[in-house]
């Protein structure tokens, strides 16, 4: 059972969330489990503002797993557009096919069945089970981890992710009632995303400021370990991959090596980017020196 402190934090956050929750379409009571699953794929490492129009277009075109699975994966990659990390589009397409093949076209609610789907990891599986089906599971994202680090541990930042540790920390706060737990999972994320932000937390607006261990300690600076910082995007292989993907999405036909060379001057870096995309299944050689999107 949650401790008295945990119960107090959960109660305050759930009450705050009732008025503070952003009206995101995938939170609506009548959305399907598939709509929730699509939103979770898209929201990985991507801002809500960028996801909203893409999610709406995606759901209008592919309202069910079967409707997506019936089209070639190239269409999923093309519709993903510039959301980033386009492997997610391939994984979502494959997950849709698996839902059709294994579950009669219905997103499963069982955690193990969700984890068995392509591209579904511990966070996504629990998020879908909790938000789409109301199953009591701790759901932990970057915002949740930061909120717990500050409010409970008294640290300015969260330590590098640890699935076991992070789930245990959230589990200790999670209300016993499944409905309240579902709300608390969403409320914790919302607080981290909109109030307990990484750079400029608005502590004067926080509904649990009186219970926050970091505030009580005088906001000490973080001295723990940090995860590795991602290299800058400009000039990186990630940028070149994005340029190549832009060309493949736009062409609707194989793009020749000569055409790709005109988009980036460093031949060795271009080779690495193309090779990586081929290895990831995002680019497919056409047998004549060109590349296209996957069609099977």
């Amino acid at each position: 059972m949650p401790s008295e402190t945990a119960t107090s934090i959960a109660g305050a956050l759930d009450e705050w969330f009732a008025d503070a929750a952003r009206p995101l379409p995938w939170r609506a009571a009548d959305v399907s489990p598939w709509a929730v699953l699509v939103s979770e794929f898209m929201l990985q490492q991507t801002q809500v503002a960028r996801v909203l129009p893409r999610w709406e277009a995606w759901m209008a075109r592919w309202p069910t797993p079967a409707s997506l699975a019936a089209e070639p994966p190239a269409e999923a990659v093309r519709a993903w557009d510039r959301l980033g990390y386009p492997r997610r589009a391939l994984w979502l397409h494959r997950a849709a096919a698996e839902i059709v093949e294994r579950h009669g076209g219905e997103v499963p609610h069982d955690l193990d069945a969700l984890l068995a789907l392509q591209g579904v990891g511990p966070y996504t599986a629990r998020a879908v089970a909790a938000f789409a089906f109301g199953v009591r599971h701790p759901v932990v994202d970057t915002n949740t981890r930061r909120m717990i680090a500050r409010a409970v541990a008294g640290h300015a930042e969260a330590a590098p992710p640890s699935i076991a540790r992070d789930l245990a920390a959230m589990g200790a706060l999670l209300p016993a009632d499944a409905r309240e737990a579902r709300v608390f999972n969403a409320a914790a994320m919302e607080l981290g995303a909109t109030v307990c932000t990484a750079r400029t937390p608005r502590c004067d607006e926080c509904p649990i400021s009186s219970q926050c261990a970091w505030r009580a300690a005088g906001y000490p600076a973080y001295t723990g370990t940090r995860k590795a910082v991602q290299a800058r995007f400009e000039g990186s292989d990630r940028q070149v991959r994005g340029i190549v993907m832009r060309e493949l999405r736009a062409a609707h036909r194989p793009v020749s090596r000569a055409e790709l060379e005109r988009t980036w001057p460093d031949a060795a870096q271009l080779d690495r980017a193309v090779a990586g995309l081929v290895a990831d299944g995002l680019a497919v050689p056409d047998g004549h020196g060109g590349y296209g999107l996957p069609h099977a």
Side-chain angles (χ1 to χ4, degrees):
M1 291 290 293
S3 67
E4 183 176 341
T5 299
T7 300
S8 177
I9 288 175
L13 271 189
D14 286 7
E15 183 178 352
W16 166 82
F17 187 68
D19 294 322
R22 290 169 292 177
L24 303 177
W26 46 82
R27 286 177 173 168
D30 60 347
V31 300
S32 67
W34 168 244
V36 174
L37 180 63
V38 172
S39 75
E40 293 299 341
F41 265 80
M42 290 185 170
L43 287 165
Q44 295 169 26
Q45 304 181 71
T46 308
Q47 296 174 333
V48 167
R50 295 182 60 207
V51 168
L52 275 168
R54 192 58 50 209
W55 181 88
E56 290 170 345
W58 191 284
M59 293 309 303
R61 181 174 180 180
W62 296 308
T64 65
S67 59
L68 175 59
E71 296 213 40
E75 290 306 303
V77 174
R78 189 169 283 116
W80 198 260
D81 198 21
R82 293 177 292 174
L83 275 182
Y85 304 97
R87 275 177 293 182
R88 290 180 293 168
L90 282 185
W91 293 341
L92 183 52
H93 183 275
R94 183 57 197 160
E98 292 169 345
I99 290 168
V100 172
E101 294 163 2
R102 301 173 190 169
H103 306 288
E106 300 294 331
V107 176
H109 70 273
D110 177 73
L111 192 61
D112 288 337
L114 286 164
L115 285 166
L117 297 175
Q118 180 70 48
V120 175
Y123 164 77
T124 301
R126 286 171 173 80
V128 172
F131 298 140
F133 297 104
V135 182
R136 184 184 180 275
H137 285 298
V139 182
V140 182
D141 72 348
T142 299
N143 294 311
T144 302
R145 291 175 55 248
R146 183 171 56 256
M147 183 278 291
I148 293 174
R150 289 173 175 169
V152 178
H155 299 153
E157 301 176 21
S162 163
I163 292 174
R165 184 189 65 236
D166 294 340
L167 289 177
M170 185 61 173
L173 297 174
L174 204 64
D177 178 78
R179 186 197 66 80
E180 292 177 2
R182 179 184 185 277
V183 174
F184 180 66
N185 276 316
M189 292 181 187
E190 190 78 347
L191 187 76
T194 63
V195 176
C196 192
T197 56
R199 295 183 180 178
T200 55
R202 302 201 304 275
C203 299
D204 57 332
E205 300 177 25
C206 179
I208 58 171
S209 60
S210 63
Q211 297 143 290
C212 178
W214 185 48
R215 180 174 181 266
Y219 304 110
Y222 182 70
T223 59
T225 57
R226 290 184 168 91
K227 66 178 182 179
V229 177
Q230 191 174 53
R232 60 177 295 176
F233 180 73
E234 292 298 325
S236 68
D237 286 2
R238 289 186 298 124
Q239 182 184 13
V240 186
R241 284 170 60 99
I243 290 171
V244 173
M245 288 302 300
R246 180 193 65 199
E247 297 300 313
L248 299 188
R249 286 195 305 268
H252 292 269
R253 58 168 176 76
V255 179
S256 70
R257 171 69 192 200
E259 289 173 306
L260 292 178
E261 287 175 350
R262 289 197 288 270
T263 68
W264 193 257
D266 186 330
Q269 193 174 27
L270 181 62
D271 284 340
R272 287 197 306 273
V274 171
L277 291 171
V278 170
D280 291 340
L282 289 163
V284 179
D286 70 348
H288 303 286
Y291 300 89
L293 294 175
H295 286 278

